[in-house]
Amino acid sequence: MSFERLAELLFPDVERDAEYYERLYPPRKLPEGAKVTRLAPSPTGFIHLGNLYGALTDERLAHQSGGVFFLRIEDTDAKREVPNGTELIRSSLRSFGLNFDEGALEGGDRGDYGPYRQRQRAQIYHTFAKKLVLEGKAYPCFCSEEELAEMRAEQEREKVNFGYYGKWAKYRDLPAEEAECRIRAGQPYVLRFRSEGDPSHYLHLTDQIRGKIDMPENDQDFVLLKSDGIPTYHFAHVVDDHLMRVTHVVRGEEWLATWPIHVQLFAALGWKCPKYCHTAHLMKAEGSGKRKLSKRKDPELALSFYRENGYPAESVREYLMTLLNSNFEEWRLANPAADIDGFRFALSKMGISGALFDLDKLRDVSKNVVAAMPAQQVYDAVAEWAKEYDRPFYDLLTADPAYALRVLSIGRGGKKPRKDIALWSDVKPYMSLFYDELFTREEPMPQGFDASLVKKALSLFCETYDEHDTQEQWFAKVKAVASALGFAPEVKQYKQSPESYPGHVGDVSMFLRIALTGRSSSPDMYEIMQILGRERTLARLNGCPV
């Protein structure tokens, strides 16, 4: 039985040849050096931090080089698909500032290299599978589950590598007539690749992140098409990456072991391999060591964790860039106000050992990111978050946007902006002192001062308070209250002779601060009083229990 006859028997419905698809999907017309990258998730709706980590690499490589970043959906496993899974993936990535140039986008495919869903590409895969059969590089295998289990048990007894290879490749050299009889009888089969690899020979590969790597050739006759005609990941992604003209494949280091399979398959199909970039795992400190972030153990692996807890997308992206490129923090120090896209991302600056992910460090980064945002941007982001996760606070914010903006504008801008906010969920407690519905007294007055003295200080200030005073006039009145009570009007005076005074002007300011805000640390008091207004200010000061 000839290869041609076998190919026709296996693929009677395939009418087009490989050259048809080569013409249909020609090399892209892009500037020299432009990179084409893809994100290719399954439509499970779940996309995690590791996916975002790799997607940022994809996006930067493509967009910094004038190339293309596209979304392909690998939906060959229908059991894993969830309703709206693809849209959940798109919206999650979009919220972190990742936008695709083409692919399986809202409203359908966009781009000239689709379909971008693997389930719609069955004819393409079968065409190239037929090509491999025609060339004697693939064959039907009729192994049952029981036969495969028996083979594995025997390999275990003999203490040899598991897999379908060499003498274990039972149907590799099945007589043609028997193969035809089994097919015509309707016996289930898979299509396997006929490997000519020898694991005693080594491939000399170059990873764009890890450098030169020597790996043994693959000798496994791996599956190309499952018994239902659906391609395996190995086969489908090779065909898709070639026809979609991908130049750089970014994927996790867990795929390193399969690299020789993919190199072998590209060679068998007569295609040039894309460049592979295997990223390091995201790690978490545990005890004296560290471990890979886990879906089961670590809620922070899911991107939904950041949305629900109010982490600004800009902050997550900024922090991930510190993990992706070793020189990013140095660049940020030199360019504190620059857009993150101004940073020149480089594969050569990526680490090869696991990057340690630290939520505390993310919070610190986020404080800097939020501090640099204009008040309107903060307001819009907080309102959007609160609308979904804290509706009562959303109602307060949006009842008077101008008032909320005045609050969020305190200490914003300038060389040393305030850094009170790391998460959008921090905003409610931060702003609570400005809303009577949320205001609570969190801290008592400083110890060591008689209650009557504190009450007198508050009373004297209320007698002189004028909301029309400038900040300088306002502070002069605070100093006057201090002097009237025998406190030092200057802190340095008190330090020179502490025994001569019951306290200093800073103590009087603290009385006012705690009475007004209920806390010892707050934004500028003068600004707070201006926003609260005379009536609410005096009510807070006069009504403070001492």
Side-chain angles (χ1 to χ4, degrees), residues 108-123:
D109 284 0
R110 186 171 74 223
D112 296 329
Y113 289 79
Y116 295 92
R117 294 171 182 271
Q118 288 186 333
R119 204 179 298 170
Q120 297 172 7
R121 299 172 64 83
Q123 277 294 307

Side-chain angles (χ1 to χ4, degrees), residues 17-92:
D17 61 11
E19 288 305 312
Y20 168 84
Y21 290 107
E22 295 288 352
R23 292 190 299 272
L24 186 63
Y25 304 115
R28 294 173 182 266
K29 295 179 180 178
L30 294 171
E32 187 175 353
K35 298 175 177 63
V36 179
T37 62
R38 46 73 168 174
L39 186 67
S42 298
T44 60
F46 180 80
I47 188 159
H48 57 72
L49 198 66
N51 300 136
L52 179 60
Y53 185 74
L56 279 170
T57 304
D58 280 314
E59 186 273 337
R60 288 291 77 202
L61 289 176
H63 290 161
Q64 284 190 166
S65 64
V68 175
F69 174 44
F70 69 86
L71 176 65
R72 184 172 73 223
I73 299 299
E74 301 195 340
D75 57 356
T76 54
D77 187 351
K79 294 177 183 177
R80 298 184 66 204
E81 186 167 358
V82 300
N84 299 319
T86 300
E87 177 50 36
L88 287 170
I89 289 169
R90 284 193 297 251
S91 61
S92 293

Side-chain angles (χ1 to χ4, degrees), residues 1-10 133-134 180 184:
M1 184 180 183
S2 68
F3 291 142
E4 185 175 351
R5 183 173 170 181
L6 178 61
E8 291 301 328
L9 181 62
L10 292 172
V133 173
L134 282 167
E180 182 174 2
R184 294 194 183 282

Side-chain angles (χ1 to χ4, degrees), residues 525-538:
M525 261 203 300
Y526 174 80
E527 292 287 345
I528 293 173
M529 291 182 183
Q530 290 291 303
I531 291 173
L532 288 176
R534 177 181 175 79
E535 184 178 330
R536 292 167 72 201
T537 294
L538 295 180

Side-chain angles (χ1 to χ4, degrees), residues 379-401 404 427-428 435 438:
Y379 173 82
D380 290 342
V382 174
E384 181 186 355
W385 176 82
K387 186 175 184 180
E388 185 172 357
Y389 298 104
D390 190 343
R391 191 65 190 219
F393 184 48
Y394 170 79
D395 292 339
L396 269 181
L397 279 177
T398 55
D400 190 346
V427 175
K428 183 177 182 177
Y435 293 93
L438 303 176

Side-chain angles (χ1 to χ4, degrees), residues 313-515:
E314 298 88 344
S315 302
V316 176
R317 187 176 183 186
E318 181 98 1
Y319 177 57
L320 286 180
M321 198 59 74
T322 70
L323 302 181
L324 282 166
N325 263 195
S326 58
N327 61 329
F328 178 77
E329 289 184 84
E330 182 183 344
W331 175 85
R332 176 53 79 200
L333 285 171
N335 303 275
D339 187 291
I340 191 172
D341 288 346
F343 171 69
R344 197 69 191 169
F345 177 83
L347 289 171
S348 61
K349 296 294 184 180
M350 293 184 73
I352 59 174
S353 60
L356 189 61
F357 185 80
D358 183 347
L359 280 174
D360 291 334
K361 178 69 178 295
L362 170 56
R363 280 191 69 100
D364 290 340
V365 168
S366 191
K367 286 180 180 179
N368 291 323
V369 171
V370 175
M373 292 179 178
Q376 185 68 57
Q377 184 179 353
V378 175
Y379 173 82
D380 290 342
V382 174
E384 181 186 355
W385 176 82
K387 186 175 184 180
E388 185 172 357
Y389 298 104
D390 190 343
R391 191 65 190 219
F393 184 48
Y394 170 79
D395 292 339
L396 269 181
L397 279 177
T398 55
D400 190 346
Y403 179 80
L405 277 169
R406 285 187 71 192
V407 174
L408 291 170
S409 296
I410 298 176
R412 197 161 290 281
K415 292 183 178 179
K416 292 186 177 180
R418 290 188 63 87
K419 297 179 182 179
D420 304 274
I421 301 168
L423 316 182
W424 302 141
S425 52
D426 293 340
V427 175
K428 183 177 182 177
Y430 169 72
M431 295 181 73
S432 62
L433 70 93
F434 294 95
Y435 293 93
D436 295 337
E437 301 93 327
L438 303 176
F439 176 64
T440 57
R441 298 189 181 280
E442 299 171 6
E443 297 181 58
M445 286 292 174
Q447 293 184 348
F449 297 97
D450 188 84
S452 62
L453 189 64
V454 174
K455 199 165 187 66
K456 182 66 173 174
L458 299 178
S459 177
L460 285 174
F461 180 82
C462 287
E463 290 173 10
T464 63
Y465 178 64
D466 183 344
E467 70 270 27
H468 301 297
D469 284 342
T470 64
Q471 190 154 17
E472 291 73 21
Q473 291 169 329
W474 174 88
F475 190 60
K477 289 182 177 180
V478 176
K479 293 172 73 172
V481 170
S483 297
L485 295 173
F487 283 55
E490 302 286 349
V491 175
K492 63 181 179 182
Q493 266 182 271
Y494 177 80
K495 288 183 176 179
Q496 289 169 356
S497 182
E499 70 283 354
S500 303
Y501 306 97
H504 54 74
V505 67
D507 296 316
V508 174
S509 292
M510 185 58 70
F511 302 158
L512 292 169
R513 188 180 301 279
I514 291 178

